[in-house]
Amino acid sequence: MHGADPRLVLGLHRSRHRRDLLTAALDLGVTALDTAAPYLGFRSHLALAETAADLLPKFTLSTKVGFFPSAGGTEHSLDPVRLRLAVERAARELGGEPDTVLLHNPERSLAGLSPAHGRALLGKACTVLADAARDGLCRTWGVASWDTQSLGMVRVEGLPSPDVLMVRAGLLVGVDLLDATNVLRTAWQADETWGMSPFGGGHRKVWEDFDPRPFLRPPHDLSRVQAAFRTAFHLPVAAAMAVGTDDPGHLVQLVQAMAAEVDIAAVSQYLRALHGLRQGSSSATRRPASFRAGASSGSSSYA
Ligand SMILES: NC(=O)c1ccc[n+]([C@@H]2O[C@H](COP(=O)([O-])OP(=O)(O)OC[C@H]3O[C@@H](n4cnc5c(N)ncnc54)[C@H](OP(=O)(O)O)[C@@H]3O)[C@@H](O)[C@H]2O)c1
């Protein structure tokens, strides 16, 4: 976390991009926005420029490139020329350069490739974004990955090291993905890790059945949802968290939650328990070697 306070980033994935939400965010001291070229049906950048051009300079803004409109709806590409044009287009549509440009879910274009081909493609895509930062099209660049297990199939050591690695975070993320994220960020040495989607996009009912408040140090008077949000900054440890809301009242609750302190020992105990459960279930299902022969034949070509 580099000693700095963790930051709340207002994510616009499911947002209606209403101006009043952006003014509410600024009033609450939330000064980071995260969007992506495909959000709002590929209109997010234009909508922000149309409705909030005067507000945008007050935010630090991250956006993502990698998805493109296609005849069938949306397609993913790591083609260097398309990525460069997408970064230039983002700056044009927004009416100014975004602070950060992230490669959007690169694992989508890597599936099925050989490790060498995947690594070469990812390396070229990273170089496009690093060059964009060098050319002043953004201040920093990074990689947003929804599935670090898939991305981790490519050896990233020696590829351009991103300023930001943005990954899924929170109590709804499985231990295998958390482990894959930790391996990836150690290998890639990103300057900062940002979390995203701490509620998995919604799933409010989960918190009726599960109370995450023991993860916070008392005293506090936060709700279960607030505790889930605050705890997400430690699963994995993240300097910033992109969370979505269209409700200024919910944003107030999220900002309040930032003041709480997470009980690191409780989080460590939780992770140990998850690892223990996984070990238990894998040894319970362990079969004789003869039954396992060929078990990896259907696995990814990165294995
Ligand atoms: N790279 C990727 O593929 C990717 C994928 C997903 C997300 N992201 C990033 O992460 C951001 C957040 O992800 P997300 O919006 O999908 O998921 P999320 O933040 O986990 O969940 C958003 C949902 O949580 C609800 N919520 C927020 N605060 C609440 C509160 N205080 N009380 C009750 N409900 C609350 C919101 O409903 P209300 O509107 O009613 O508050 C919304 O339905 C995105 O905007 C984007 O920046 C990136």
Side-chain angles (χ1 to χ4, degrees):
M1 304 248 273
H2 309 286
D5 285 340
R7 309 186 298 278
L8 190 163
V9 179
L10 180 59
L12 300 179
H13 179 27
R14 297 162 205 277
S15 170
R16 282 173 299 214
H17 291 59
R18 280 196 342 240
R19 184 182 167 88
D20 64 338
L21 185 73
L22 302 185
T23 52
L26 288 172
D27 290 346
L28 288 165
V30 173
T31 56
L33 288 180
D34 179 67
T35 190
Y39 292 177
L40 204 71
F42 288 95
R43 287 206 74 260
S44 177
H45 296 155
L46 289 171
L48 286 172
E50 280 161 16
T51 59
D54 56 325
L55 302 180
L56 288 185
K58 298 177 181 170
F59 289 98
T60 58
L61 179 69
S62 50
T63 189
K64 315 183 197 74
V65 294
F67 287 96
F68 299 87
S70 73
T74 302
E75 66 183 13
H76 194 270
S77 172
L78 292 181
D79 177 83
V81 175
R82 292 182 85 180
L83 289 175
R84 174 72 186 209
L85 289 173
V87 177
E88 291 172 359
R89 184 185 182 113
R92 222 173 29 250
E93 289 183 344
L94 286 163
E97 289 81 17
D99 292 276
T100 304
V101 177
L102 302 153
L103 194 55
H104 202 170
N105 299 359
E107 63 273 12
R108 288 285 292 266
S109 282
L110 300 176
L113 302 184
S114 71
H117 188 184
R119 180 179 153 80
L121 195 59
L122 182 61
K124 281 183 192 152
C126 289
T127 300
V128 170
L129 294 204
D131 287 351
R134 182 204 59 202
D135 297 345
L137 287 167
C138 52
R139 199 170 42 80
T140 57
W141 72 278
V143 174
S145 171
W146 185 250
D147 179 2
T148 48
Q149 277 177 287
S150 296
L151 187 56
M153 302 291 184
V154 168
R155 207 167 48 79
V156 297
E157 288 93 343
L159 298 186
S161 180
D163 300 307
V164 176
L165 182 61
M166 188 175 190
V167 293
R168 276 163 69 188
L171 289 155
L172 300 180
V173 179
V175 69
D176 289 340
L177 197 92
L178 289 172
D179 284 351
T181 294
N182 277 331
V183 170
L184 186 67
R185 67 180 181 170
T186 302
W188 221 340
Q189 297 283 307
D191 284 352
E192 278 198 341
T193 301
W194 296 358
M196 64 178 158
S197 209
F199 303 124
H203 306 290
R204 265 175 231 182
K205 194 157 177 342
V206 173
W207 314 114
E208 290 170 22
D209 299 328
F210 173 64
D211 185 353
R213 286 176 292 191
F215 288 110
L216 300 185
R217 283 187 184 283
H220 66 79
D221 59 356
L222 298 185
S223 69
R224 293 176 178 208
V225 168
Q226 287 173 306
F229 174 64
R230 187 63 187 89
T231 306
F233 282 84
H234 290 267
L235 292 167
V237 174
M241 185 67 55
V243 59
T245 181
D246 255 343
D247 179 337
H250 284 168
L251 194 55
V252 171
Q253 293 169 10
L254 298 172
V255 170
Q256 282 168 349
M258 298 295 289
E261 212 182 316
V262 175
D263 183 343
I264 311 292
V267 174
S268 300
Q269 196 181 359
Y270 166 75
L271 287 170
R272 276 198 303 279
L274 288 184
H275 285 122
L277 275 175
R278 184 177 59 186
Q279 230 164 6
S281 68
S282 65
S283 55
T285 55
R286 199 169 288 146
R287 288 174 290 173
S290 56
F291 284 94
R292 282 187 276 126
S296 64
S297 60
S299 66
S300 152
S301 54
Y302 298 122

